[in-house]
Amino acid sequence: MSTLGLIGSGHIGSTLARLGVAAGLDVVLSNSRGPETLADLVAELGPHARAATPAEAAVAGDWVVVTVPLKNYRQVPVAPLAGKIVLDTDNYYPERDGQITELDAEETTTSELLQRHLPDAKVVKAFNNIFFAHLAALARPSGAVDRSALPIAGDDPEAKAGATRLLDLLGYDAVDAGPLADSWRFQRDTPAYVVPYAKNPQGRGISMDDPGASADAATLRAALAAARRG
């Protein structure tokens, strides 16, 4: 049985854990506060889930999702992730993360920062452009007419193929948005961020009680193509 490791177990991490267990994966959760703080979530998820340290989750995962505030990305363990497919959900919020000069100048992307921190891992950007409640609500089996698509970006073709397999297991199609350098196309405040999955979008945002709506690959590709920098 394949294992999904999670470094970070907040809204996105816990949602991915639920989707993973539903898909028949083993799930190893971790956070910065210690395994004992995840006892209730592990009990909810059942026997295919356990809590661990970030390093242990990194070792255990066939895929490892890093879903921590961007300001904490340097705390992600390096050695245990060598050779691993690492899915990065980070978004840049200066009000939370502080100003990051390279990002403000659009010289790099959040995932390129993580890849630099994890030189021997294979980083793929994923799961950052969808509201966690929509991520939970819109998962569909392969072939469903209302299946949604999520964008991925990465520099390693095999890693992107592995990420596509994970998305499929969790209930989503994947749209390849290019290398990590192009992952800005679905970062915060772009047309592909959050709004494609909203039933009642509000500009480039949504209300927290929005029920969600499916967005297929064609819809997502159009949103990615509409992205502009600067």
Side-chain angles (χ1 to χ4, degrees):
M1 183 176 290
S2 297
T3 299
L4 178 63
L6 293 154
I7 297 176
S9 298
H11 288 315
I12 291 290
S14 60
T15 299
L16 291 172
R18 292 182 178 97
L19 292 175
V21 168
L25 300 176
D26 284 332
V27 173
V28 181
L29 300 107
S30 69
N31 63 17
S32 61
R33 296 176 294 129
E36 65 281 358
T37 65
L38 296 166
D40 289 345
L41 179 56
V42 168
E44 172 199 330
L45 293 170
H48 288 293
R50 65 182 175 91
T53 66
E56 290 167 341
V59 169
D62 296 294
W63 306 272
V64 181
V65 177
V66 170
T67 181
V68 300
L70 181 63
K71 64 182 178 180
N72 297 331
Y73 80 90
R74 291 185 181 89
Q75 298 174 20
V76 174
V78 176
L81 290 171
K84 299 269 185 171
I85 298 173
V86 175
L87 294 104
D88 168 40
T89 80
D90 281 345
N91 287 303
Y92 176 39
Y93 292 88
E95 62 273 23
R96 177 196 66 189
D97 302 315
Q99 300 295 143
I100 300 175
T101 301
E102 290 175 280
L103 296 179
D104 292 338
E106 297 182 340
E107 296 170 350
T108 191
T109 63
T110 58
S111 292
E112 287 177 295
L113 292 179
L114 184 62
Q115 181 68 82
R116 191 186 308 168
H117 175 67
L118 302 172
D120 297 318
K122 303 169 184 177
V123 173
V124 178
K125 189 73 168 185
F127 302 120
N128 69 297
N129 76 312
I130 186 169
F131 179 45
F132 76 92
H134 293 165
L135 180 63
L138 297 177
R140 299 289 188 274
S142 181
V145 295
D146 60 344
R147 202 181 209 213
S148 293
L150 296 173
I152 62 171
D155 296 336
D156 185 288
E158 290 186 5
K160 285 199 281 190
T164 296
R165 177 171 174 264
L166 176 63
L167 264 65
D168 182 53
L169 289 170
L170 299 182
Y172 289 88
D173 293 333
V175 169
D176 188 343
L180 291 179
D182 286 345
S183 61
W184 64 268
R185 289 188 174 277
F186 51 102
Q187 68 186 13
R188 182 185 180 187
D189 295 331
T190 61
Y193 185 79
V194 174
V195 167
Y197 312 98
K199 184 174 182 180
N200 302 303
Q202 301 174 353
R204 287 190 172 173
I206 58 167
S207 63
M208 295 300 99
D209 60 352
D210 186 283
S214 61
D216 63 11
T219 299
L220 188 57
R221 289 190 183 98
L224 291 167
R228 299 290 182 269
R229 273 185 138 171

